[in-house]
Amino acid sequence: MLVRTTGVSFSLDRQGRGYVVISVGVSPIGWHHSVGVRCSCSDWRDWHAFEGCWVHNDAGGEEIWEVALCVGTHIDGDAAHKQIAFAAFATDLQSGATVWDNNGGRDFRVTVQRARDAAAASAYAAEADNTLLARAHALPGF
């Protein structure tokens, strides 16, 4: 089984809540595994694991999964940066074996900066995918 992080994106819903969306590819296609990310906002002093949601199988023989992490409201005027470190995993439910994509041991990192005002935040709200955001996990530390 192979696992790889295929992308990271950001979205806001109509209430101004921000989401970091992590896409993970797993091959081969099968029903015998779970997929998710382990992430931390404290340089791994503590961490949280979140299960992904299957999105689709692509033509190349890879399953695409997504994990949406709610990082809070982005219209509160707080200009502080928050960094999320994460690694993707897939666990074979039959054998219990887990494989990781941790960026070659460096972990993946994304920095979230809060918008300075409601107008800046609302510019992104029109593009929010509410079906995806309904599956989001609250990320402690935000």
Side-chain angles (χ1 to χ4, degrees):
M1 181 169 50
L2 297 173
V3 61
R4 68 185 185 96
T5 301
T6 61
V8 177
S9 61
F10 179 76
S11 186
L12 282 172
D13 67 13
R14 298 190 194 292
Q15 289 74 40
R17 289 183 301 261
Y19 298 86
V20 172
V21 182
I22 302 166
S23 298
V24 179
V26 178
S27 59
I29 293 173
W31 296 102
H32 59 282
H33 52 258
S34 64
V35 177
V37 297
R38 186 176 289 178
C39 56
S40 175
C41 298
S42 64
D43 203 23
W44 298 107
R45 286 185 300 280
D46 62 356
W47 54 267
H48 305 276
F50 300 103
E51 285 194 41
C53 293
W54 175 84
V55 179
H56 64 86
N57 296 340
D58 71 13
E62 186 173 59
E63 294 180 9
I64 304 300
W65 294 66
E66 289 183 340
V67 179
L69 305 174
C70 181
V71 293
T73 180
H74 280 243
I75 58 174
D76 61 7
D78 179 4
H81 293 267
K82 289 275 191 167
Q83 188 174 80
I84 302 169
F86 69 91
F89 65 86
T91 300
D92 184 306
L93 299 176
Q94 293 172 336
S95 70
T98 299
V99 294
W100 292 88
D101 180 9
N102 66 353
N103 196 20
R106 297 181 310 263
D107 299 321
F108 292 95
R109 297 184 184 276
V110 61
T111 300
V112 177
Q113 181 178 1
R114 299 195 185 281
R116 294 200 161 111
D117 57 39
S122 66
Y124 296 98
E127 298 182 22
D129 177 350
N130 290 321
T131 59
L132 170 66
L133 302 181
R135 301 186 306 243
H137 304 279
L139 181 61
F142 273 84

